[in-house]
Structure formats: C-alpha cells, structure tokens
Amino acid sequence: MERERAEASERARVEAERLERERAEAALKEKAEADAQQQAQRLELERVAATERARVEDQRLELERVALQDKARLELEQRLQSEAAAKLEMERVDKERQRAEAEREAERLENERRVQIGRESGALRAMRLTLAALPDLRELNSTVIALEQQLSAASARLERGEFITELIDGFKSQLETVRSSAATLFSQKLDDLEIRAREIGAAELIEDINTAHEDLEHGSFPDLASLEGSLRAQREARLNAQQRELSELENAVREYTPLPEALPLLENLSTARMQHERGELVNLSNAWDKLEGLRVLEDKLRFEWRTRTDAVLAEAGSYRS
C-alpha cells in the first residue's frame, strides 16, 4: 500500500510539473504573440510615418521646383526686357556715335595739320628730355651736342609749320645708339667700381653696384657720383683701419726682435708702411700668419730652454748626491 501511495504521489507530482510547464509555455507563447503583434503595429506605424514623410518631402520638392520655374521664368522675362532696353539704348548710342564720328572726322580733317605738328613736336620734346637725362659722359659729349643741334633745327622747322615726319625715325635711331653707348660706358664704369670695391672688401657697396647694374638693365641710369663717393669714403676708412692694423702688427713683431726670424717680417711691414703712406691698400693677412709663427717659435724655444735647464739642474743634483 505504501508503495502504491508513493507511486501515485510521484505521478501526481510529475503531472503537476507537466501542467506547470504547459502553463509556462502557453504564457510564453502568448507573450511572444503579443510582442509580435506590438512589433507589427510599430512597424506599420513607422511605415505609415515614413510614407507621410515621403509625401511631405515630395510636396516640398514640388513646391521648390515650381518656385524655381517661376523664378527662372521671371528672370528670363527680366533679361528679355533688359536686352530689349539695351538694344534700344545701343541703337540710340550708335546713332549718337555715328553723328559724333562725323563731327570728329570733320574736325580731324580740319585740324590734321596742327595735330601732326603737335605730335611731332611732342616726339621731339620727348627725345630731347631723354637726351638730357643721359649721364654726363666725356666720351659721348661731341655726339650728344651734335644730336641736340639736329633736334633744335627740327624744332625750328616745326615752328614754321613744316612737317619733319621723315626725320623722326632717324632721330630715334641716333638717340637709341647714343643711349646704348652711354649704357655700355656706364656699365664699364660700374665694373671698374666693382673691381675697386672688391679690392677693399666693401660688400655693401658691391651690392649697391649690382643693384645699379640691374637698374641699368631696366633702362635707369643710377647715381654714379654717389657710388664713387661711397667708394672713396670706404677706401679712406679701410686705409685708416690698415694704419691701425700696421701699428698693431709692428708693435707685436717688435716683441720678438731677439729672434732672427722676426727681422724679415719687420722689413715686410716697413715696405707695407711705405706703400700705405702712398695711399695704397696692402694685404696683411700673411703678416698675421707669420706673427703667429713667431709666437709658436718662441713657445718652442722657451720649452726647449726649460727642458735643458731642468736637465742640467737634475744632473747637478745627482752629482751632489
């Protein structure tokens, strides 16, 4: 009996668990169905909302398209109106221009002689100004004077009402030749200045001379007198500096006069001093090298003397011992 009751209780328990599982599965199924229904409803709402947004966007785009069409049509109408007005204005201006041209043609024919004389007079005046602007170069004085005389004679003909058209090109050619010759001479003078500037190591002046070359290439004659004055001033300053440098070298070398090797250097400095007093620039770099050699030689001799002295003293000390 006890066994039967136990088996019955076990069956009841198993049945109860089965029923509980079935209820749980049913609940889960019911919840899943509810979730699926909610998901379907949400998706439907989103689809409807997306459809509505697309409809609104289509309406907006359509309104924009219509607005752009209206704007383009309005701009086209305005442009056509503007072009029509411009065409009328052009026709009016053209008629006015034709009338003005007729008046100007009549005036040109009437004043042609006076205008031609004025043009040639202006050309002569420009050439005389160009000639006057050339630098004063002794090598070209006679050529410049001859051309000035020709230009003055041509001006006198113009004042008498005569044309000089056939002379203008010849004058221009002569002027260009004179100007080219002046530029060549000027360039040569700049080259000479640069050589002298390099002799004294005037770096800034060399830059100024190079700038003057560039100005000359662009048709402008620089101030040669100013460059020459700068060269003289810098050369004088260089001479003064060399005078001080010579004195410094001479004083330094005299400290080594006990050394026979110092005498040739003193003679060289004496020669350099005479050249300097004649206004010549001298190269003292070698003298400084030789002075350094004297210093090295003196140090060497002193070291040898100390070495010998120490040796003698050491030997004397060994004898006393």
Side-chain angles (χ1 to χ4, degrees):
M1 289 296 290
E2 288 295 329
R3 182 178 179 182
E4 291 176 355
R5 283 198 297 270
E7 290 177 352
S9 177
E10 179 63 21
R11 285 194 298 273
R13 185 185 64 78
V14 170
E15 180 65 19
E17 289 177 354
R18 183 183 64 76
L19 293 175
E20 182 63 26
R21 282 197 303 273
E22 288 179 354
R23 282 196 300 271
E25 289 174 357
L28 287 174
K29 181 178 180 182
E30 182 179 354
K31 184 176 183 303
E33 291 175 352
D35 290 343
Q37 185 177 5
Q38 289 178 356
Q39 178 67 14
Q41 290 174 351
R42 184 169 62 256
L43 291 175
E44 179 63 18
L45 289 174
E46 289 177 355
R47 184 189 64 77
V48 172
T51 302
E52 181 63 19
R53 285 196 300 271
R55 186 185 65 78
V56 171
E57 180 65 15
D58 290 342
Q59 289 179 348
R60 185 185 67 79
L61 292 175
E62 179 64 17
L63 291 174
E64 287 183 356
R65 184 184 65 78
V66 172
L68 288 174
Q69 287 180 343
D70 293 341
K71 181 180 179 182
R73 184 170 57 255
L74 179 60
E75 289 177 351
L76 177 61
E77 292 175 354
Q78 291 175 344
R79 186 171 68 251
L80 291 174
Q81 292 174 359
S82 177
E83 289 175 353
K87 182 178 179 181
L88 291 174
E89 179 63 16
M90 288 178 60
E91 291 176 353
R92 185 190 67 78
V93 170
D94 189 56
K95 290 180 181 179
E96 185 66 24
R97 181 183 57 78
Q98 291 177 2
R99 183 183 64 80
E101 286 179 353
E103 292 178 355
R104 283 196 298 271
E105 179 65 14
E107 184 178 356
R108 186 189 66 80
L109 293 174
E110 181 180 352
N111 299 323
E112 186 178 61
R113 183 181 181 83
R114 178 178 56 81
V115 171
Q116 181 66 18
I117 289 177
R119 184 181 301 114
E120 293 180 356
S121 177
L124 278 182
R125 186 163 52 252
M127 284 188 282
R128 297 181 77 170
L129 289 173
T130 301
L131 192 62
L134 293 178
D136 186 11
L137 297 171
R138 177 179 51 80
E139 298 87 344
L140 295 177
N141 280 347
S142 59
T143 304
V144 170
I145 291 173
L147 183 53
E148 285 178 343
Q149 291 174 347
Q150 293 181 56
L151 293 176
S152 297
S155 295
R157 286 183 57 181
L158 281 177
E159 291 176 358
R160 294 194 299 269
E162 302 177 19
F163 290 152
I164 58 166
T165 308
E166 74 283 359
L167 301 178
I168 295 295
D169 290 340
F171 288 155
K172 288 181 178 179
S173 177
Q174 291 183 64
L175 180 60
E176 182 58 31
T177 299
V178 171
R179 199 179 189 289
S180 177
S181 299
T184 300
L185 288 170
F186 209 88
S187 179
Q188 292 171 355
K189 291 180 181 295
L190 288 176
D191 290 340
D192 179 62
L193 273 178
E194 183 176 356
I195 292 173
R196 288 188 284 162
R198 291 189 183 280
E199 289 176 353
I200 63 174
E204 292 185 3
L205 179 58
I206 292 172
E207 291 183 4
D208 292 340
I209 293 172
N210 290 333
T211 301
H213 272 298
E214 294 175 1
D215 293 341
L216 189 61
E217 290 176 358
H218 289 89
S220 175
F221 288 92
D223 187 355
L224 186 63
S226 175
L227 294 173
E228 290 174 339
S230 179
L231 176 63
R232 285 193 298 272
Q234 294 191 45
R235 192 175 190 279
E236 185 65 27
R238 180 64 177 145
L239 284 170
N240 293 335
Q242 280 200 343
Q243 182 177 4
R244 294 189 295 272
E245 189 177 3
L246 270 170
S247 298
E248 183 181 352
L249 276 168
E250 288 168 343
N251 293 332
V253 173
R254 287 191 186 99
E255 296 178 3
Y256 300 97
T257 49
L259 298 176
E261 290 83 358
L263 295 179
L265 180 54
L266 279 175
E267 292 176 357
N268 291 340
L269 290 176
S270 177
T271 301
R273 170 70 70 179
M274 289 187 291
Q275 292 175 338
H276 183 271
E277 290 174 352
R278 291 196 300 268
E280 300 177 15
L281 291 170
V282 293
N283 185 358
L284 299 176
S285 58
N286 190 40
W288 286 108
D289 293 339
K290 290 183 178 180
L291 175 61
E292 181 61 25
L294 290 176
R295 290 171 179 163
V296 172
L297 177 60
E298 184 185 49
D299 291 342
K300 179 182 178 182
L301 292 174
R302 284 178 178 175
F303 176 78
E304 291 175 353
W305 179 82
R306 284 196 300 270
T307 301
R308 288 196 298 269
T309 300
D310 293 342
V312 170
L313 292 175
E315 185 177 357
S318 66
Y319 287 151
R320 284 195 297 270
S321 300

